[in-house]
């Protein structure tokens, strides 16, 4: 135990296994129930020989995993809640979070031997019950975080959300794939949403380690914490997975703050995109009507506090006078044939833009059908 005020460490016990707690383990997860002063420890591999290092143990191919334990701080007592295989499958490289509002313990993903898990389940600490939210075997086509390990997760009890930043994952060919994606799990709706995805920039077959000004370079084995009061995530360090440089590590520090547009903003934005498209079609058929439409209908839905949108709106007037000389040279029958085709492409692009504002279940699938097939 470490006392922040005094800056001192206190040894509680040298052997938790002798007290009924977990044996000598590594790569486990801990979470604390501050209300009832209970620490939960789940997963991790068991070292049968205290002199054996973790690396040596992994190479030995032994598969002994630790279960779910609880530690009551005031009485200094351990209890075994579930052994490995008792309703839950123990693992390493997983994420475990405690929701102080619902008093549920959430366990997500991880690795067990050569099996990469994508399941998500909860444990009710007050009623000693386990509920499987997702077994990771569903083939509904819904988006879920990819199988892998070293992902980092946080929870916001007020928003009732789980946030996951992925790390090293497995692709369809069972190979390690390094890409960072940020996922939000809506606990109430039991639905995952991918709100950010980044893949390594490749130059001549090599991974670039240079972060852009707006996003960190992909990594794994990083650390992520969340300030649920200010609603800010902090990311530090990690392994960039650069081939040929296995000892290379990162020491950069990033912050991430998610912002959600209001319903009114989304409706206004959709109206703006629709009216902008109507204006663009009017410029080809009736320039005078287009000018009137620009000054009235379109101007009403422009966010004049947004410099980018304001500039875009101001430049729209120039389309009334664009390419007049070229249009005079176009033969009438060619113009009739080309306009419907051009309008079709523009309307298709507009549709693809608008569907991004709607939930996935209300839109057509955007993934390749081949990617929905699980390869054994």
């Amino acid at each position: 135990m470490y006392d922040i005020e005094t800056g001192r460490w206190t040894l509680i016990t040298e052997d938790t296994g002798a007290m009924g707690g977990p044996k000598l383990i590594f790569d486990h997860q801990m979470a604390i129930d501050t209300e009832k002063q209970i620490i939960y420890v789940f997963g991790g591999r068991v070292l049968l020989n205290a002199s054996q290092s973790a690396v040596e143990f992994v190479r030995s191919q032994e598969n002994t995993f630790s279960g779910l334990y609880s530690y009551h701080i005031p009485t200094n007592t351990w209890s075994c809640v579930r052994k490995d295989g008792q309703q839950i499958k123990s693992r390493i490289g997983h994420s475990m979070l405690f929701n102080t509002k619902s008093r549920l313990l959430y366990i997500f993903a991880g690795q067990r031997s050569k099996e990469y898990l994508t399941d998500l389940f909860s444990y009710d600490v007050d009623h000693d019950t386990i509920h499987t939210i997702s077994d990771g075997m569903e083939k509904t086509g819904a988006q879920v975080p990819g199988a892998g390990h070293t992902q980092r997760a946080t929870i916001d009890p007020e928003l009732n959300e789980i946030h996951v930043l992925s790390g090293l994952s497995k692709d369809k060919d069972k190979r390690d794939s390094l890409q960072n994606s940020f996922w939000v799990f809506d606990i109430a709706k039991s639905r995952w949403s991918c709100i950010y995805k980044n893949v390594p920039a490749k130059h001549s077959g090599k991974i670039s380690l240079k972060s852009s000004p707006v996003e960190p370079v992909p990594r794994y084995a990083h650390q992520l914490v969340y300030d649920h009061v200010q609603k800010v995530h902090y990311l530090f360090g990690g392994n960039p997975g650069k081939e040929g440089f296995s000892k290379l590590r990162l020491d950069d520090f990033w912050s991430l703050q998610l912002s959600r547009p209001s319903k009114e903003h989304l409706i206004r934005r959709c109206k703006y995109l629709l009216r902008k498209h109507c204006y663009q079609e009017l410029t080809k058929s009736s320039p005078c009507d287009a000018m009137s439409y620009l000054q009235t209908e379109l101007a009403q839905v422009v966010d004049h506090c947004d410099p980018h949108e304001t500039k875009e709106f101001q430049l729209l007037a120039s389309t009334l006078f664009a390419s007049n000389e070229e249009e005079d040279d176009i033969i009438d029958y060619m113009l009739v044939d080309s306009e419907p085709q051009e309008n079709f492409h523009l309307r298709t692009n507009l549709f693809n833009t608008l569907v991004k504002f709607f939930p996935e279940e209300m839109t057509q699938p955007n993934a390749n059908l081949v990617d929905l097939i699980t390869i054994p």
Side-chain angles (χ1 to χ4, degrees):
M1 177 180 66
Y2 180 74
D3 191 317
I4 299 177
E5 294 182 355
T6 62
R8 294 181 180 180
W9 283 97
T10 301
L11 177 62
I12 299 175
T13 178
E14 292 186 351
D15 186 1
T16 56
M19 298 176 59
K23 298 179 181 179
L24 188 60
I25 59 176
F26 69 96
D27 209 353
H28 50 285
Q29 290 294 320
M30 300 173 62
I32 187 170
D33 176 0
T34 56
E35 181 182 340
K36 294 192 175 182
Q37 289 291 284
I38 297 177
I39 296 176
Y40 293 92
V41 180
F42 174 68
R45 280 185 173 178
V46 180
L47 283 171
L48 301 179
N49 183 357
S51 62
Q52 188 179 27
S53 70
V55 176
E56 291 172 339
F57 181 76
V58 172
R59 292 174 179 173
S60 70
Q61 303 274 320
E62 294 289 342
N63 297 317
T64 304
F65 296 89
S66 181
L68 176 62
Y69 291 84
S70 65
Y71 172 72
H72 189 234
I73 299 174
T75 59
N76 190 28
T77 55
W78 284 93
S79 300
C80 180
V81 180
R82 292 288 192 284
K83 293 182 179 180
D84 179 21
Q86 290 184 331
Q87 292 185 281
I88 56 176
K89 184 184 294 185
S90 296
R91 74 279 309 273
I92 61 173
H94 52 288
S95 296
M96 185 167 73
L97 307 162
F98 183 69
N99 191 330
T100 55
K101 297 287 186 181
S102 62
R103 299 191 51 74
L104 295 176
L105 194 67
Y106 291 93
I107 299 173
F108 168 68
Q111 180 185 3
R112 183 181 175 93
S113 300
K114 295 183 178 180
E115 181 184 7
Y116 287 82
L117 306 170
T118 57
D119 57 343
L120 173 64
F121 59 92
S122 64
Y123 171 69
D124 190 323
V125 299
D126 295 330
H127 300 90
D128 190 32
T129 56
I130 293 176
H131 172 62
T132 300
I133 301 172
S134 171
D135 60 5
M137 303 298 292
E138 298 176 351
K139 298 182 180 181
T140 59
Q143 283 191 323
V144 295
H149 57 217
T150 75
Q151 77 285 333
R152 299 294 182 249
T154 62
I155 191 168
D156 190 322
E158 297 175 358
L159 297 177
N160 206 24
E161 292 178 344
I162 293 175
H163 309 134
V164 176
L165 181 62
S166 68
L168 196 64
S169 59
K170 289 288 182 180
D171 60 18
K172 291 175 59 178
D173 298 324
K174 307 299 183 181
R175 296 175 300 183
D176 287 336
S177 174
L178 180 58
Q179 65 174 21
N180 284 153
S181 55
F182 197 92
W183 297 77
V184 175
F185 181 74
D186 189 319
I187 297 175
K189 297 180 180 179
S190 189
R191 182 179 65 192
W192 286 102
S193 299
C194 181
I195 61 175
Y196 161 81
K197 183 174 291 186
N198 185 14
V199 294
K202 295 184 178 180
H203 303 284
S204 303
K206 298 181 179 180
I207 298 177
S208 173
L209 293 181
K210 186 178 180 181
S211 296
S212 74
V214 295
E215 61 184 7
V217 66
R219 64 197 64 201
Y220 68 96
H222 45 278
Q223 288 298 332
L224 183 75
V225 295
Y226 181 59
D227 181 350
H228 66 88
V229 177
Q230 301 297 328
K231 309 298 183 186
V232 178
H233 282 89
Y234 294 95
L235 168 70
F236 176 71
N239 187 333
K242 185 173 176 62
E243 186 177 355
F245 297 87
S246 60
K247 295 184 178 180
L248 184 62
R249 298 296 183 268
L250 301 170
D251 62 352
D252 50 349
F253 193 35
W254 294 80
S255 67
L256 171 67
Q257 186 167 18
L258 302 178
S259 59
R260 291 173 170 82
S262 64
K263 183 187 296 185
E264 292 74 19
H265 172 82
L266 294 175
I267 294 175
R268 185 207 61 79
R269 181 62 181 171
C270 289
K271 287 182 177 179
Y272 170 76
L273 293 173
L274 284 166
R275 294 184 185 184
K276 186 180 82 168
H277 179 83
C278 290
Y279 163 77
Q280 290 172 332
E281 288 196 6
L282 278 173
T283 58
K284 300 171 187 177
S285 59
S286 179
C288 292
D289 292 338
M291 176 60 74
S292 176
Y293 188 86
L294 177 68
Q295 296 173 337
T296 54
E297 300 295 327
L298 185 51
Q300 291 176 1
V301 293
V302 175
D303 182 3
H304 296 283
C305 296
D306 184 345
H308 176 75
E309 190 168 297
T310 301
K311 184 178 180 180
E312 183 182 53
F313 169 70
Q314 293 171 347
L315 293 174
L316 285 175
S318 62
T319 58
L320 287 169
F321 313 101
S323 306
N324 283 336
E325 295 182 358
E326 295 180 3
E327 291 180 0
D328 292 340
D329 297 333
I330 298 177
I331 303 176
D332 290 342
Y333 76 87
M334 292 180 63
L335 187 61
V336 171
D337 291 340
S338 63
E339 279 189 356
Q341 184 177 2
E342 182 180 359
N343 289 339
F344 172 79
H345 290 301
L346 291 175
R347 292 179 182 181
T348 301
N349 292 335
L350 174 64
F351 174 81
N352 292 333
T353 301
L354 291 175
V355 295
K356 295 178 181 178
F357 295 98
F358 292 84
E360 291 181 14
E361 63 270 15
M362 297 178 63
T363 63
Q364 61 187 11
N366 55 9
N368 193 320
L369 291 178
V370 178
D371 295 332
L372 302 179
I373 303 174
T374 303
I375 300 178

